[in-house]
Amino acid sequence: MSHRLLGGLSPREFLRRYWQKRPLFVPRALPGFAGVLDRRALGALARRDDVESRIVERRGTRWDTRHGPFSEAKIRSRNATLLVNGVNLHLPAAEALLRRFHFVPQARLDDVMVSYATPGGGVGPHVDSYDVFLLQGPGRRRWRVLGKNYTTSAGDLLYLPPGVEHDGVALEPCYTYSIGFRAPRGAELGAAFLDWLHERGLPEARYRDPGLAPARRPARIPAGMVQFTAQVLSRIRWSRSDVVDFLGRYLSAPKPHVVFRPGAGRGRRVRLDSKTQLLYFGGRFFINGESLVVRHPERLRELADRREADLERLAPLAALISQWRRAGYLHFTNKEGDG
Ligand code: SIN
Ligand code: CO
């Protein structure tokens, strides 16, 4: 990969020195970056109900937010921003942009958000809880980060670790691409894991009290009921492979509004749909919240890592591939690599 993207650093050096540690500004990381969509295409996405979008308007030092879908995603000619999340799910070119950041595991990736702002527009000073690469598209924006100012123009990149306050103000009509990462929190994992356990099946025992004596204090919870509950709960067990199964499903599960549509394309190459998340751990694979084990894991790992592969190479997995094609999880194409 081009080291220019990280200001001359190799991915390894970047990760060691900056990732989750300190901001990095890289002028001309992607020289001549023209963006992957224009104002109209962004507005069209903001009209869809399967796309998350918002409009933020600044009034003095107040920022008002409205959430999409918008019947008309028009914004004021000053002090306004239209933001669209998950652009990579809908636009292969935005997905291809993500590939430049594949030195970070796909399980850490959240989405590509694109904003279009008119002069003076921005979302106001704030802190994000995630790592983010802010890639400037056409038009200039001024960023204020930890007391420093940066003026970014097309192709400049700013990396921010979680928790660093930042404020970007459009100097002229401009686009900003936020390549954002996710990092699960314990409470979120715990709650989702309890759901997983529930789905898998919990102990069915029912409390019985054939020797019940008349209650003198009817509001008191019977000690036997506490005992029974403690016992039943202690019977809930899980193994490390349960944890893997849960985590893979959890990380690959599509966001709630995502819909897959089978395509009609033909060709010799298989390409994962932009919305598909295919992950693996050892011989177990996870695709869009489902879990499976296959007979030729190495070939499927190649598809997962590169997000595309020769159909011929996947021939031993033909039945699975056609099942996923019918589900809209992947498509056939003749084009190679360009997204
Ligand atoms: C923006 O694109 O205006 C906001 C990006 C961010 O600060 O996270
Ligand atoms: Co931010």
Side-chain angles (χ1 to χ4, degrees), residues 119-284:
V123 299
H126 68 281
V127 165
D128 293 314
S129 52
Y130 301 148
D131 306 81
V132 64
F133 288 100
L134 298 159
L135 173 63
Q136 189 61 18
R140 289 177 309 139
R141 176 183 289 270
R142 193 178 53 235
W143 287 99
R144 191 165 173 81
V145 180
L146 297 176
K148 276 196 199 135
N149 287 315
Y150 302 93
T151 299
T152 54
S153 49
D156 293 348
L157 184 71
L158 186 58
Y159 163 74
L160 300 178
V164 171
E165 193 182 60
H166 53 286
D167 182 20
V169 180
L171 298 176
E172 54 200 27
C174 76
Y175 296 82
T176 302
Y177 288 69
S178 298
I179 294 113
F181 296 84
R182 68 198 286 213
R185 286 176 300 118
E188 170 193 330
L189 285 175
F193 182 61
L194 293 176
D195 284 345
W196 180 93
L197 277 175
H198 188 187
E199 248 170 63
R200 189 189 57 170
L202 290 167
E204 267 304 346
R206 184 186 295 277
Y207 179 62
R208 298 182 71 250
D209 49 5
L212 187 65
R216 266 185 294 126
R217 309 293 305 265
R220 185 171 176 266
I221 297 171
M225 207 175 260
V226 173
Q227 172 69 15
F228 169 80
T229 304
Q231 212 175 50
V232 158
L233 293 184
S234 73
R235 275 171 39 206
I236 302 174
R237 291 277 152 72
W238 58 88
S239 64
R240 192 175 149 87
S241 95
D242 291 333
V243 170
V244 169
D245 188 66
F246 153 71
L247 183 62
R249 288 171 188 266
Y250 177 74
L251 292 171
S252 69
K255 293 191 179 168
H257 49 265
V258 166
V259 183
F260 291 95
R261 293 185 186 86
R266 306 201 159 275
R268 289 168 294 102
R269 290 194 58 82
V270 172
R271 180 177 299 157
L272 296 182
D273 184 84
S274 301
K275 296 185 280 287
T276 284
Q277 181 77 293
L278 175 59
L279 303 172
Y280 58 83
F281 188 81
R284 187 162 280 281

Side-chain angles (χ1 to χ4, degrees), residues 296-310:
H296 296 273
E298 195 39 56
R299 299 189 180 204
L300 201 53
R301 283 188 203 119
E302 280 169 25
L303 174 65
D305 287 331
R306 298 185 196 141
R307 298 189 60 81
E308 58 175 64
D310 277 331

